[in-house]
């Protein structure tokens, strides 16, 4: 998939992709050694001195699933889930000839399928709604957190989608304090593993406007797991129907949840360019450490 392009000995081929502007570097480590360590993830994620990404996805061999995928943030931390990157990796497998794909992530096994018109659907699994599983540092009603000060008089909700989420409902997402409150809540002591932060404006029962602060990445144009968490929170509060159009800065996703099973997310993917990391670049960032 990525190994066929021209590259010099010792270099690492990669592909740049995005889902609604949520952009990724994809490295195919199948049949070889995974080259990624925190130092390389940080260097590669730098938009001035590296390639730049919201998340880095590394594809690995798996004996039971179609492939395994590891996700890294641009700060060198790992992410347990990334819905848009999952769709991008699935699309690459479809281009190899697969008609469906099951990807192993820290979240678990995620089933993916083409959805027509160039779209990919992924079952992100059932949300984690028990406070221990999100996880939170102490017992809370995850539908309305009393440990975090309400915004616009509304207590946020919590959910786990392979990564933690804190969901605020606001009157106007365009003026929500994403850049200021986002990093503050990311590091709130209620979330021992930090958290993504969503700001949701309910347009009607089948559509929302969403802006996201991502743990370890900052403001992003789209966040698949965040879109899932937002819909889950809205359904739990009786604000949304089972299928919802989620309007993000980079475009729209469709998310559906019946209140009990897996959260289904459908959206587009896009290739941007392919390249290879130069051996000298790899050496300077300690890629093998």
């Amino acid at each position: 998939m990525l190994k066929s392009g021209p590259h010099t000995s010792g270099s690492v081929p990669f592909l740049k992709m995005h889902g609604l502007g949520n952009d990724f570097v994809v490295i195919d480590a199948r049949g070889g050694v995974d080259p990624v360590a925190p130092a390389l993830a940080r260097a590669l994620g730098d938009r001035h001195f590296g390639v730049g990404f919201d998340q880095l996805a590394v594809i690995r061999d798996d004996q039971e699933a179609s492939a395994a995928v590891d996700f890294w943030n641009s700060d060198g931390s790992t992410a347990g889930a990334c819905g848009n990157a999952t769709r991008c990796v699935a699309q690459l497998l479809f281009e190899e000839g697969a008609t469906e794909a099951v990807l192993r992530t820290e979240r678990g096994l995620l089933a993916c399928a083409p959805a027509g018109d160039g779209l990919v659907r992924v079952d992100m699994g059932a949300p984690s709604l028990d406070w221990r599983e999100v996880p939170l540092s102490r017992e809370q009603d995850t539908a309305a957190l009393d440990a975090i000060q309400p915004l616009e008089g509304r207590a946020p909700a919590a959910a786990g989608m392979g990564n933690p989420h804190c969901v605020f409902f606001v009157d106007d997402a365009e003026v929500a304090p994403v850049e200021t409150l986002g990093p503050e809540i990311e590091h709130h002591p209620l979330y021992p593993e930090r958290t993504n932060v969503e700001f949701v404006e309910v347009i009607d029962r089948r559509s929302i406007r969403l802006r996201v602060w991502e743990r370890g990445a900052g403001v992003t144009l789209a966040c698949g797991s965040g879109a899932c968490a937002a819909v889950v929170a809205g359904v739990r509060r009786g604000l949304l129907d089972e299928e919802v159009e989620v309007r993000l800065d980079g475009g729209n996703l469709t998310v559906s949840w019946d209140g009990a099973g897996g959260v289904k997310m459908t959206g587009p993917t896009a290739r941007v360019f392919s390249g290879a990391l130069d051996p000298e670049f790899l050496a300077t960032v300690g890629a093998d450490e």
Side-chain angles (χ1 to χ4, degrees), residues 179-288:
E179 295 85 354
T180 54
L181 187 59
E184 177 183 333
I185 299 300
E186 176 188 352
H187 296 275
H188 195 284
L190 184 64
Y191 284 90
E193 297 179 5
R194 298 184 295 159
T195 184
N196 289 21
V197 188
E198 285 76 39
F199 299 84
V200 184
E201 175 188 345
V202 177
I203 299 170
D204 55 46
R205 294 193 61 84
R206 295 181 61 85
S207 60
I208 62 174
R209 174 71 173 100
L210 175 63
R211 298 180 66 204
V212 182
W213 175 275
E214 286 201 55
R215 175 184 66 167
V219 177
T220 55
L221 295 179
C223 176
S225 64
C228 293
V231 171
V232 166
V235 170
R236 293 183 76 198
R237 292 193 178 186
L239 301 174
L240 300 174
D241 291 342
E242 291 185 7
E243 184 170 285
V244 178
E245 179 185 69
V246 181
R247 305 176 186 176
L248 298 126
D249 288 343
N252 299 341
L253 293 171
T254 300
V255 175
S256 60
W257 185 54
D258 63 8
V263 186
K264 314 289 196 307
M265 176 186 59
T266 304
T269 67
R271 287 174 175 258
V272 183
F273 61 87
S274 60
L277 304 178
D278 190 271
E280 292 185 4
F281 172 78
L282 296 171
T284 62
V285 296
D288 295 326

Side-chain angles (χ1 to χ4, degrees), residues 36-203:
V36 180
L40 177 58
R42 288 192 297 271
L44 189 54
D46 190 301
R47 296 188 183 277
H48 300 285
F49 295 97
V51 178
F53 58 74
D54 290 328
Q55 275 82 34
L56 166 65
V58 181
I59 310 172
R60 297 183 291 103
D61 292 309
D62 190 275
Q63 293 184 347
E64 299 175 352
S66 305
V69 189
D70 298 326
F71 304 111
W72 294 81
N73 296 314
S74 56
D75 67 355
S77 63
T78 57
C82 183
N84 287 321
T86 298
R87 291 201 328 277
C88 284
V89 171
Q91 176 60 30
L92 295 176
L93 298 184
F94 300 152
E95 292 173 6
E96 292 181 346
T99 56
E100 57 184 21
V102 177
L103 299 176
R104 185 182 301 280
T105 71
E106 187 178 315
R107 170 75 170 144
L109 294 174
L110 305 184
C112 308
D117 298 324
L119 303 178
V120 175
R121 178 179 298 110
V122 55
D123 185 338
M124 292 290 289
S128 299
L129 301 176
D130 182 270
W131 68 273
R132 301 171 188 83
E133 297 174 353
V134 172
L136 303 179
S137 59
R138 60 186 176 89
E139 185 173 1
Q140 290 276 285
D141 176 1
T142 57
L145 303 174
D146 61 21
I148 294 179
Q149 184 173 352
L151 184 63
E152 299 182 354
R154 302 164 188 161
M161 290 300 310
N163 47 10
H165 294 269
C166 183
V167 183
F168 288 90
F169 288 89
V170 299
D171 292 331
D172 187 348
E174 306 306 327
V175 298
V178 183
E179 295 85 354
T180 54
L181 187 59
E184 177 183 333
I185 299 300
E186 176 188 352
H187 296 275
H188 195 284
L190 184 64
Y191 284 90
E193 297 179 5
R194 298 184 295 159
T195 184
N196 289 21
V197 188
E198 285 76 39
F199 299 84
V200 184
E201 175 188 345
V202 177
I203 299 170

